[in-house]
Amino acid sequence: MGLPLRKSKVTAPPPACPLTECMSLLRGAWAPNVIWYLSAGPRRFGELRHDIPRISARVLSARLRELEAKGVASRRVLATSPPSAEYALTELGHELVPAIKAIVEVGTRLKQHAKTRRKAPAK
Amino acid sequence: MGLPLRKSKVTAPPPACPLTECMSLLRGAWAPNVIWYLSAGPRRFGELRHDIPRISARVLSARLRELEAKGVASRRVLATSPPSAEYALTELGHELVPAIKAIVEVGTRLKQHAKTRRKAPAK
DNA sequence: CAGGATCCTAATCGATACTG
DNA sequence: CAGTATCGATTAGGATCCTG
């Protein structure tokens, strides 16, 4: 007989896994980028497209609408000609930035670490 | 003529968008969950399957192999009968936990905020 | 310029069956 | 128990065209 299952010591997420649900506000490969480029201040649709060259208009639009619906970002239509739209992070949206920064930080060190490890295999 | 494009004030990620690359270590819907449940200590394959009921063995296996390849998690085969495998976060892997926690925190408040907003539309 | 509509590709995931 | 293999469903994403 094998080992008995250990109970999880983690505060279990009972109601339909809120962890998964919460993490979904960074859904897709582009949401973090959008939040990142909005973190320095309001930005227009075209500017974001320029900031993130490989994103398509369709996906950028979709992510922005999602972020807006979730309360992470806000949309403001400017009465200019031609019309433009300006997006900004909400207060809560701004609080995501440090978390993203932390993940990027770890990711960066992880890459450096990978090289070091080839010479010093076991730590 | 429309507004001139503003230059991004964000430290631009020049080398092939490291932000996207780094965020990819939380790839998929399940990586955060796996990291989360490993954060309390080493855990076996079957235990993780039990922790995250809706994950399939195929995906759990794939995510674990990815996390291991990236240096976020480590794998240890136990000489038991039947054989078992134990996974654990590496030091750098542990550093992802606060970030995930922060995101979940914001996500939780975002949900509460959504309800409040229905009564007090403009803040 | 903003962004919706359509079509298509690629990645992810779940279920099931099977191996060591 | 710890996986791998295969299949089919779902979904993010890109490209292009088109409208206000």
Side-chain angles (χ1 to χ4, degrees):
Chain A
M1 190 188 86
L3 303 174
L5 282 189
R6 295 170 293 192
K7 278 199 304 187
S8 172
K9 282 165 231 157
V10 180
T11 336
C17 205
L19 200 162
T20 303
E21 192 180 345
C22 293
M23 288 304 297
S24 81
L25 47 81
L26 296 186
R27 155 153 35 191
W30 297 119
N33 275 278
V34 174
I35 295 175
W36 181 258
Y37 281 103
L38 283 179
S39 67
R43 214 141 172 77
R44 297 197 307 276
F45 190 87
E47 291 175 326
L48 287 171
R49 273 194 83 174
H50 181 261
D51 291 337
I52 318 170
R54 304 194 294 176
I55 198 174
S56 66
R58 194 182 80 87
V59 172
L60 177 55
S61 176
R63 291 283 105 41
L64 284 170
R65 270 183 284 119
E66 273 184 24
L67 293 175
E68 191 191 357
K70 285 173 181 164
V72 175
S74 63
R75 193 177 94 117
R76 199 163 63 97
V77 175
L78 305 178
T80 56
S81 170
S84 48
E86 193 171 78
Y87 296 87
L89 290 185
T90 62
E91 283 181 41
L92 282 171
H94 274 291
E95 297 187 32
L96 289 173
V97 177
I100 294 177
K101 202 174 291 188
I103 294 173
V104 170
E105 166 98 7
V106 173
T108 305
R109 271 192 287 160
L110 232 30
K111 265 195 300 186
Q112 297 170 347
H113 203 70
K115 294 170 193 167
T116 313
R117 228 176 332 177
R118 273 196 280 277
K119 296 220 166 182
K123 67 139 186 254
Chain B
M1 189 189 84
L3 302 175
L5 284 187
R6 293 169 294 192
K7 281 199 302 187
S8 172
K9 283 168 232 156
V10 180
T11 335
C17 205
L19 200 162
T20 304
E21 192 181 345
C22 292
M23 289 304 297
S24 81
L25 48 81
L26 297 185
R27 161 152 30 194
W30 297 119
N33 275 277
V34 174
I35 294 174
W36 181 258
Y37 281 103
L38 283 180
S39 68
R43 212 138 174 80
R44 296 198 308 275
F45 190 88
E47 291 174 328
L48 287 171
R49 275 194 81 173
H50 181 261
D51 291 336
I52 318 170
R54 303 193 295 173
I55 199 173
S56 64
R58 193 183 81 87
V59 172
L60 177 56
S61 176
R63 292 284 95 69
L64 284 171
R65 270 182 286 120
E66 273 184 23
L67 293 175
E68 189 190 359
K70 286 175 181 163
V72 175
S74 63
R75 193 177 94 115
R76 201 163 62 98
V77 177
L78 305 178
T80 55
S81 171
S84 48
E86 192 171 78
Y87 296 87
L89 290 186
T90 61
E91 281 182 40
L92 282 172
H94 273 292
E95 296 187 31
L96 290 173
V97 177
I100 295 176
K101 202 174 287 187
I103 295 173
V104 171
E105 166 98 4
V106 173
T108 305
R109 270 192 289 159
L110 232 30
K111 265 195 300 187
Q112 296 171 347
H113 202 71
K115 292 169 192 165
T116 312
R117 229 177 331 178
R118 274 196 279 278
K119 296 221 167 183
K123 70 142 183 256

